[in-house]
Amino acid sequence: MPYWIYLVISGIFVNNFVLSRFLGICPFLGVSKKTDTALGMGLAVIFVMGVASVITYGLNLLLVIADIEYLQTIVFILVIAALIQLIEIVIKRFAPGLYTALGVYLPLITTNCAVLGVAIMNVTELAKQTVFLAFVNGVASGMGFTLAMLIMAGIRERMELSDIPERFKGFPITLITASIMAMAFTAFAGLSL
Amino acid sequence: MMKNKKLKLNDLVTPFTNGIIKNNATFRLVLGTCPTLAVTTLAMNGIGMGLAVTFVLVFSNAIVSALRNFIPRKVRIPAYILIIATFSTIVEMVTRAFLPDLYSKLGLFIPLIVVNCILLARVESFASLNRVLPSVMDGLGIGLGFTMSITLMGIIREFIGAGTFFGMPINALINADLPMVIFILPAGGFMVFGFMLVIFNTIVEKIENLRGKSK
């Protein structure tokens, strides 16, 4: 099996960003009240993670050549912040429809640790490193994030109607729901790829 | 602005104590959830991560507060991120050089201190409005509060999930069917965090109610 298919399955199910790697928990808890906002956030994250993976991967090659790899964190976060601003301007100009759908979520993504996480992971953890694999890893991880967001939003929409003890309302019940989801996702660890 | 006003002792003590209990980053403000869940499989990791965040928070608070009249409002977020990134790079290099064991356990989450919401939240909501010393105390308070809470979570998860207390086996002391491995898996992290939120907030509210009555 080619390595990129392995990356896709691992990113979406086995090493799901939210439920097994604990990246991007803040938007997972904060923006998962409704399915359509969860979907919007998810799509924005997939988009940004794909583009950011390619660009940070290229930049890291430059950092390695110049022998200043210790600047990785600073360079990556600045590039991601600038990139998100740029994406916002570009899609506002050329794809107003997409902008109305994703616009609100774009600024929030700057401090989403999933984006910086995938950028760093691309240059430290991938077994084989090419621009294409970095891109696949970024998109697949974003899809895993979106999947978790969507499931959570679906459950929370139902939960609005149920009778939850006062103290558990809000974050606690969401976390406990996430815990049960994570248990289900643990089963994917048994996949032999 | 309270530029020429003299600092009172209270201006230093209140941010510190507030940071530990009333504004506890993990359980009250629910910030920095990613490292809270990810590194707390061992109690020691909690202490390491907490102190790393405290260091970054104290210094970025100090710098941002010292520069608060120079940073233009419009570019403040990139400026804050740059300051935070500088200190988290320092932490990363120091732990890699002197504590390689801890570095390998915390892994990705040390560079990710940059995007930890605790830092940006405190820098934006406290340090950019207050003087240097109170900001430093706020950093210390919030940082130690964070350290305390994630160490507590680490202790619980390690105790039940691995059957050890700071690395010491506990099976000799109590007779229980431990370890329950689910607690050091991601699922256990979410579960413990959810219940800790409920317990901590209940206790804090009870204490505040009692205080209100005694006044």
Side-chain angles (χ1 to χ4, degrees):
Chain A
M1 192 171 58
Y3 187 60
W4 69 272
I5 295 183
Y6 164 79
L7 275 183
V8 171
I9 296 174
S10 140
I12 299 178
F13 298 111
V14 184
N15 290 320
N16 187 290
F17 249 47
V18 178
L19 296 171
S20 116
R21 285 193 192 265
F22 296 126
L23 291 168
I25 303 283
C26 296
F28 175 67
L29 297 177
V31 206
S32 63
K33 277 197 181 122
K34 291 217 174 78
T35 348
D36 45 350
T37 49
L39 186 65
M41 183 73 180
L43 291 179
V45 167
I46 295 180
F47 192 66
V48 171
M49 273 166 107
V51 182
S53 289
V54 173
I55 293 187
T56 50
Y57 185 85
L59 267 175
N60 192 59
L61 294 180
L62 289 181
L63 289 184
V64 172
I65 291 170
D67 204 18
I68 43 172
E69 277 170 88
Y70 59 88
L71 286 179
Q72 210 180 50
T73 316
I74 297 185
V75 170
F76 280 13
I77 188 66
L78 280 183
V79 167
I80 288 170
L83 182 71
I84 289 171
Q85 296 269 304
L86 198 71
I87 291 176
E88 202 181 343
I89 294 169
V90 170
I91 65 170
K92 195 176 187 179
R93 173 77 180 74
F94 294 105
L98 193 65
Y99 181 75
T100 40
L102 304 184
V104 217
Y105 308 106
L106 282 173
L108 291 176
I109 296 177
T110 316
T111 51
N112 183 340
C113 45
V115 181
L116 183 60
V118 85
I120 295 176
M121 226 183 273
N122 280 336
V123 297
T124 54
E125 284 181 20
L126 286 193
K128 282 183 249 166
Q129 304 194 341
T130 61
V131 181
F132 172 67
L133 289 177
F135 176 72
V136 170
N137 193 31
V139 173
S141 308
M143 282 157 77
F145 175 82
T146 312
L147 177 71
M149 286 279 285
L150 272 180
I151 300 177
M152 186 48 136
I155 297 176
R156 278 182 86 171
E157 276 183 354
R158 290 288 186 90
M159 225 152 52
E160 291 275 296
L161 305 170
S162 46
D163 187 21
I164 301 160
E166 192 57 40
R167 291 245 174 254
F168 280 83
K169 277 185 183 154
F171 284 124
I173 193 71
T174 314
L175 282 163
I176 291 166
T177 316
S179 156
I180 298 167
M181 279 165 64
M183 273 181 218
F185 269 74
T186 314
F188 286 118
L191 278 180
S192 55
L193 289 171
Chain B
M1 291 302 259
M2 39 182 249
K3 227 171 194 171
N4 300 317
K5 233 166 121 190
K6 251 183 137 185
L7 275 177
K8 284 187 208 122
L9 185 64
N10 225 9
D11 293 337
L12 295 181
V13 176
T14 334
F16 182 72
T17 50
N18 270 357
I20 291 184
I21 294 177
K22 210 175 125 209
N23 286 336
N24 187 299
T26 316
F27 296 132
R28 300 285 291 181
L29 307 178
V30 199
L31 292 172
T33 40
C34 301
T36 306
L37 290 163
V39 305
T40 52
T41 47
L42 290 172
M44 252 343 260
N45 290 358
I47 295 185
M49 187 72 208
L51 292 183
V53 170
T54 310
F55 173 84
V56 180
L57 186 54
V58 168
F59 281 93
S60 357
N61 257 3
I63 302 275
V64 167
S65 156
L67 296 177
R68 68 184 183 283
N69 296 327
F70 299 100
I71 297 176
R73 202 76 199 135
K74 277 195 173 156
V75 294
R76 69 187 194 285
I77 301 287
Y80 297 162
I81 290 183
L82 196 59
I83 293 168
I84 295 169
T86 309
F87 287 107
S88 79
T89 306
I90 294 175
V91 166
E92 190 187 340
M93 291 164 88
V94 169
T95 40
R96 191 186 302 185
F98 295 105
L99 303 162
D101 209 29
L102 186 71
Y103 182 80
S104 65
K105 274 183 193 144
L106 299 181
L108 190 58
F109 284 88
I110 293 203
L112 284 185
I113 293 176
V114 186
V115 280
N116 190 322
C117 358
I118 297 179
L119 292 143
L120 208 55
R122 290 327 285 177
V123 160
E124 162 84 3
S125 70
F126 196 94
S128 65
L129 306 170
N130 286 284
R131 301 173 70 174
V132 177
L133 276 181
S135 303
V136 168
M137 293 311 279
D138 178 75
L140 265 183
I142 294 275
L144 292 180
F146 176 69
T147 311
M148 188 193 77
S149 355
I150 65 171
T151 309
L152 192 62
M153 272 194 54
I155 291 175
I156 296 175
R157 286 181 69 188
E158 191 189 336
F159 194 91
I160 309 178
T164 53
F165 178 75
F166 283 100
M168 287 181 295
I170 47 153
N171 273 359
L173 304 175
I174 55 165
N175 189 9
D177 217 359
L178 295 174
M180 291 162 67
V181 183
I182 189 84
F183 276 85
I184 50 173
L185 293 178
F190 282 114
M191 178 86 75
V192 172
F193 191 23
F195 280 104
M196 287 298 288
L197 274 180
V198 174
I199 296 169
F200 192 89
N201 287 333
T202 312
I203 294 175
V204 169
E205 272 168 40
K206 282 257 156 68
I207 293 174
E208 278 181 357
N209 277 350
L210 281 180
R211 256 197 210 154
K213 270 179 199 163
S214 66
K215 274 175 192 169

